[in-house]
Amino acid sequence: MKTQRINPGTMDPMQMNNMSSMMSMMGTIQKIGKGNRKYSINFDKNDKKFLGKFIIEVQKQFADSPQKGNNLYDFFNYVKAYSSKKTVEPLKVNYEEYEFLKKMIKDSLKGMEAMLFPWYHFMKKISVMLMKKQYAQILAKFK
């Protein structure tokens, strides 16, 4: 794939920030699954179930990406298998996987906070508000 040059003088700071964030995310994705899983994250039963649903949604987002050979799908399957276990044990991840999950949850939370609904979509507002609380609860486990 040929890289495309971009003139940084024509980009506004928001586009530059988004581009930098995207490039750091791609670097993290390339490193997933390559190190020792020495970081442990403790989840309770409800958080594990919600994490499993979150990983399924993230996997759908990455399903149409052309990079099928990377370890990202193996990592998603590992987290799904962990979330389906009945026992309460910590999730073992390496640093890149830890940062990837944390960044994905932060981005999802930021996207939900930016959602605006008309006044008559109160059911959607309530469901988004509950999801924001769940995402914040899972994000608190990462800190």
Side-chain angles (χ1 to χ4, degrees):
M1 186 173 162
K2 188 176 179 181
T3 59
Q4 183 179 6
R5 292 197 172 261
I6 298 172
N7 184 3
T10 61
M11 296 176 69
D12 61 352
M14 188 66 159
Q15 286 177 329
M16 192 67 108
N17 193 11
N18 287 338
M19 187 76 74
S20 173
S21 174
M22 189 169 53
M23 293 305 288
S24 69
M25 181 68 89
M26 290 304 293
T28 304
I29 288 173
Q30 290 175 352
K31 294 177 185 175
I32 285 180
K34 300 220 165 94
N36 294 333
R37 292 184 170 148
K38 59 183 178 180
Y39 294 95
S40 59
I41 308 166
N42 294 319
F43 291 108
D44 61 349
K45 183 181 169 186
N46 295 328
D47 290 341
K48 280 173 61 171
K49 188 182 287 187
F50 189 73
L51 181 68
K53 290 179 183 179
F54 174 72
I55 289 297
I56 291 170
E57 292 301 318
V58 171
Q59 198 170 19
K60 287 178 187 176
Q61 289 177 356
F62 283 95
D64 58 346
S65 69
Q67 301 173 351
K68 297 275 184 194
N70 61 8
N71 296 327
L72 190 60
Y73 295 100
D74 296 334
F75 174 65
F76 288 152
N77 292 332
Y78 167 70
V79 175
K80 273 199 305 191
Y82 164 77
S83 64
S84 64
K85 288 182 183 177
K86 300 278 185 200
T87 61
V88 179
E89 58 187 33
L91 174 66
K92 294 286 203 176
V93 292
N94 63 19
Y95 182 75
E96 285 80 18
E97 294 166 348
Y98 179 83
E99 287 298 316
F100 176 74
L101 281 175
K102 192 168 145 183
K103 192 175 281 192
M104 289 299 293
I105 293 170
K106 276 184 183 178
D107 289 345
S108 298
L109 190 60
K110 191 185 300 184
M112 278 189 271
E113 288 173 352
M115 285 182 175
L116 296 174
F117 296 109
W119 66 270
Y120 48 86
H121 287 192
F122 58 90
M123 291 301 286
K124 285 184 183 179
K125 285 182 184 180
I126 292 172
S127 66
V128 167
M129 184 178 65
L130 290 173
M131 283 179 56
K132 281 196 293 190
K133 285 183 182 177
Q134 286 177 322
Y135 278 109
Q137 185 178 4
I138 286 182
L139 189 61
K141 302 276 184 179
F142 281 89
K143 293 183 178 178

